[in-house]
């Protein structure tokens, strides 16, 4: 077989596999724009007259409130994680503490601790304090869950800052705040983006803690979606519309920041 | 003035951790402490409390009958017949999903490493399943893929004249594994793709010149190079999937051998209201995770310390 023909065949195969893999997402988006009777039909339809009925129904179920809660939780958690991670990572890379390795394994072992290990006391404490179903409390927990990853990742970026720059800044007599925020931080902005992206994605998508620590006022989008499981009758269009809205922010963020994604997922190990 | 001068000298040698002065160390500690205290309060302390809970007789249905009960929650976990099926479900779901997504991720990484027109678009489409909210992914699979009436898989079966299958009730474990594999294949692909791109092109060309075929170049040069990336993918993937809850809650509700530890704990605590018993399951989850994570840690540290020391 000649080389270019084989190349085209492999390319064709690649596209078939990629599109097959993407199909459930495509189908979700498509179903969201179908009238309910078309979406729930036994014979799948590729062509139909589009409708926003599904989106309307999702909004009628109060989805806007859940989305707002998700935004609050994810943004607050991201701020908490990044603000605490920057100085900590700095102390593990440039202004070094003793026992950097011990501190690093402390963070990583916290990252690997299952949520199941902490959820009961958190629930009981929040219940006692009357802070269950409080969106900021959920955000604080998300901040803690993501902090270790943010620290590791920020550290891997700080390690790449040429030490001469820090040295020059110190010789000039700049204070610590200036050294970190004016000199080092601007050089590692992709790291900040990476840490923020991972925290945002996790917090936006989180289901387990959201189900247990919120009930109505602070309910976020994932448990709202989960409530479709007990639905009766036909609901594929409204479900698909709701799932599309819910998934969209993270999909777009991930598409835009593909490079940061890999480094973030590997906690900075892969550059 | 002498003190200031001394400080400057010390600061210049700050690359050497052993020779840093006290003030410098105090500053560094001050930078680190907020994060450490925050984490201790929100994760370490609750974990210790979980261990205490696990030693208590404490059911929220009987709030007055609360007391120390020693290891009896663990004993009943071992004898009640809930624990081992749950450990097994957790381990099997994790193992199958990780192995399948690494295998598929490898195939996609190789295919998408080749230059071809539209590669950036193909990659973008390919990472999407990983980005879809897990709750949404499980629901979409449950209703628009697996459903006996409106699911695409059964439409395919009917079109091909095959029997209709109620996936999430007849094959609950397989259904969960399919959804997890679908979500984690892009994760593995991203990591392996980074590995492929980090390969020394010179070595690959040299191998071609020396007459090594594509297959031999792959097995002798590329695969050994990718080993580290496979390890990172497997370990990170395992630690995440060990905690799996969403697809269980949405697809199977723990039926048919899919009751993972996270779901068992949820059932015990929030439906059965047995705090003591649930806490014991929480502790068991940690032990299981430690076993997996110890291996993970060792590998990650090897990778980091090799690449990141100043």
């Amino acid at each position: 077989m000649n080389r270019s023909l084989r190349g085209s065949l492999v390319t064709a195969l690649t596209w078939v596999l990629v599109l097959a893999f993407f199909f459930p997402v495509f189908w979700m988006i498509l179903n969201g724009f179908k009238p309910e009777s078309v979406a729930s039909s036994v014979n799948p339809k590729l062509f139909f007259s589009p409708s926003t009925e599904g989106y309307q129904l999702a909004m009628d179920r109060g989805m806007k409130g859940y989305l707002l809660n998700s935004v609050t939780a994810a943004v607050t958690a991201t701020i908490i994680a990044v603000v605490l991670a920057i100085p900590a990572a700095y102390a593990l890379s440039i202004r070094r503490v003793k026992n950097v390795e011990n501190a690093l394994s402390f963070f990583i072992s916290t990252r690997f601790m299952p949520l199941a290990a902490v959820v009961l006391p958190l629930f009981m404490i929040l219940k006692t304090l009357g802070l269950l179903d409080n969106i900021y409390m959920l955000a604080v927990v998300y901040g803690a869950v993501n902090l270790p990853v943010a620290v590791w990742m920020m550290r891997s970026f700080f390690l790449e800052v040429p030490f001469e720059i820090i040295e020059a800044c110190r010789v000039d007599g700049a204070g610590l705040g200036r050294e970190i925020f004016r000199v080092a931080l601007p050089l590692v902005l992709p790291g900040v983006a990476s840490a923020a992206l991972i925290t945002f994605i996790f917090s936006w998508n989180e289901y387990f803690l959201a189900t247990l620590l919120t009930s109505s006022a602070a309910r976020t989008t994932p448990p709202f979606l989960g409530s479709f499981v007990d639905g009766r009758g036909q609901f594929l269009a409204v479900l698909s519309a709701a799932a599309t809205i819910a998934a969209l922010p993270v999909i777009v963020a991930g598409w835009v920041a593909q490079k940061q994604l890999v480094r973030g997922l590997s906690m900075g190990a892969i550059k | 003035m002498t003190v200031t001068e001394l400080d400057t000298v010390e600061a210049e040698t700050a690359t050497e951790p052993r020779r840093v002065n006290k003030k410098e160390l105090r500053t560094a500690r001050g930078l680190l402490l907020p994060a450490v205290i925050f984490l201790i309060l929100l994760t370490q302390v609750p974990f210790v409390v979980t261990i205490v809970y696990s030693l208590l007789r404490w059911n929220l249905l009987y709030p007055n009958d609360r007391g120390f009960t020693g290891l009896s929650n663990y004993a009943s976990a071992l004898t009640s017949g809930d624990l081992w099926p749950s450990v097994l479900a957790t381990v099997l779901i994790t193992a199958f999903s990780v192995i399948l997504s690494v295998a598929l991720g490898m195939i996609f990484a190789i295919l998408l490493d080749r230059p071809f027109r539209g590669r950036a678009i193909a990659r973008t489409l390919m990472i999407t399943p990983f980005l879809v909210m897990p709750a949404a992914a499980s629901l979409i699979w449950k209703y628009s893929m697996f459903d006996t009436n409106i699911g695409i898989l059964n439409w395919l079966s009917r079109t091909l004249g095959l029997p209709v299958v109620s996936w999430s009730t007849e094959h609950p474990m397989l259904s969960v594994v399919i959804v997890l594999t679908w979500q984690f294949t892009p994760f593995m692909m991203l990591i392996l793709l980074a590995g492929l791109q980090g390969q020394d092109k010179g070595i690959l060309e040299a191998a071609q010149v020396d007459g090594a075929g594509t297959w031999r170049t792959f097995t002798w040069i590329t695969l050994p190079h990718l080993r580290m990336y496979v390890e990172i993918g497997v370990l990170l993937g395992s630690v995440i999937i060990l905690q799996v809850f969403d697809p269980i809650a949405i697809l199977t509700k723990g039926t048919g051998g899919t009751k993972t530890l996270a779901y068992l704990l949820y059932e015990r605590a929030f439906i059965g209201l047995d705090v003591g018993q649930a806490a014991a399951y929480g502790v068991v989850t940690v032990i299981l995770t430690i076993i997996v994570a110890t291996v993970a840690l060792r590998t990650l540290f090897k990778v980091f310390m090799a690449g990141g020391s100043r």
Side-chain angles (χ1 to χ4, degrees), chain B:
Chain B
M1 285 311 278
T2 39
V3 178
T4 329
E5 265 174 44
L6 195 68
D7 272 350
T8 321
V9 173
E10 293 288 353
E12 274 167 0
T13 53
T15 32
E16 283 286 316
R18 257 164 270 119
R19 272 191 279 161
V20 181
N21 73 10
K22 277 210 178 107
K23 187 177 158 227
E24 187 78 0
L25 276 174
R26 222 175 19 241
T27 315
R29 219 181 296 136
L31 290 171
L32 186 64
L33 270 184
V36 171
I37 293 171
F38 185 67
L39 276 181
I40 288 178
L41 282 179
L42 273 142
T43 59
Q44 319 285 314
V45 172
F47 176 52
V48 173
V49 177
T50 301
I51 297 176
V52 175
Y53 282 179
S54 76
L55 304 173
L56 298 179
R57 181 179 64 250
W58 185 11
N59 190 311
L60 294 179
L61 288 175
Y62 315 104
N64 297 324
D65 179 34
R66 184 173 150 187
F68 183 74
T69 181
L71 294 174
S72 80
N73 282 323
Y74 292 93
S76 68
L78 288 172
T79 54
S80 73
D82 285 336
L83 181 66
W84 292 116
S86 219
V87 171
L88 189 68
T90 311
V91 170
L92 286 182
I93 288 173
T94 307
F96 286 140
S97 311
V98 168
I99 291 169
L100 282 173
S101 50
V102 168
L104 286 171
M106 180 77 89
I107 293 172
F108 278 109
I110 293 167
L111 288 176
L112 294 176
D113 190 41
R114 287 174 65 242
F116 63 90
R117 200 190 294 189
R119 183 173 71 173
I121 299 171
R123 277 187 192 166
T124 305
L125 292 181
M126 197 47 217
I127 61 167
T128 312
F130 178 70
L131 299 168
V132 173
M133 178 183 286
S138 301
L139 283 163
I140 290 302
W141 274 90
K142 178 168 180 157
Y143 293 107
S144 70
M145 297 288 132
F146 291 148
D147 192 84
T148 45
N149 292 315
I150 56 175
I152 291 292
L153 291 181
N154 281 312
W155 172 78
L156 272 177
S157 298
R158 276 195 302 272
T159 312
L160 298 172
L162 299 168
V164 166
V165 182
S166 172
W167 287 89
S168 44
T169 47
E170 282 175 55
H171 306 290
M173 168 85 77
L174 182 60
S175 301
V176 170
V177 169
I178 288 175
V179 175
L180 285 170
T181 304
W182 182 69
Q183 290 223 277
F184 277 84
T185 295
F187 173 86
M188 301 299 177
M189 181 199 76
L190 276 173
I191 289 174
L192 295 172
L193 201 51
L196 286 175
Q197 285 162 350
Q199 265 193 121
D200 188 340
K201 296 287 182 290
I203 294 179
L204 292 180
E205 272 161 28
Q208 297 287 342
V209 171
D210 288 351
T214 315
W215 179 247
R216 278 187 51 189
T217 315
F218 179 74
T219 49
W220 288 41
I221 299 172
T222 306
L223 268 189
H225 166 77
L226 281 183
R227 201 189 125 177
M228 179 186 97
Y229 294 86
V230 172
E231 282 176 353
I232 295 180
V234 166
L235 300 165
L236 291 175
S238 308
V239 172
I240 300 173
I241 301 181
L242 275 176
Q243 302 200 43
V244 67
F245 177 80
D246 317 16
I248 314 296
I250 286 167
L251 282 168
T252 67
K253 298 212 184 245
T255 57
T258 61
K259 194 174 288 176
T260 58
L261 284 165
Y263 196 81
L264 179 65
L265 175 133
Y266 160 78
E267 239 184 27
R268 250 330 118 77
F270 296 92
I271 300 172
L273 299 177
D274 192 335
V275 177
Q277 185 68 69
Y281 291 135
V283 176
V284 172
T285 312
V286 176
I287 295 170
L288 185 68
T289 312
I290 288 173
I291 297 171
V292 176
T294 316
V295 189
L297 269 184
R298 210 169 290 153
T299 316
L300 276 176
F301 254 98
K302 223 165 47 200
V303 176
F304 272 100
M305 293 313 156
S309 249
R310 201 179 259 285

Side-chain angles (χ1 to χ4, degrees), chain A residues 164-244:
Chain A
E164 295 72 39
I165 295 181
I166 306 293
E167 241 172 6
C169 152
R170 283 190 200 169
V171 171
D172 288 349
L176 180 67
R178 204 183 144 77
E179 176 187 319
I180 299 181
F181 292 103
R182 286 290 173 81
V183 180
L185 200 58
L187 294 171
V188 297
L189 281 181
V192 177
S194 214
L197 179 75
I198 294 301
T199 309
F200 182 85
I201 290 182
F202 173 85
S203 309
W204 182 270
N205 284 348
E206 208 281 333
Y207 181 71
F208 183 63
L209 292 170
T211 304
L212 301 179
L213 302 182
T214 71
S215 53
S216 55
R219 206 104 277 199
T220 55
T221 318
F224 161 68
L225 280 184
S227 68
F228 276 94
V229 170
D230 306 316
R232 299 194 177 276
Q234 298 185 329
F235 56 85
L236 191 61
V238 53
L239 166 65
S240 302
T244 305

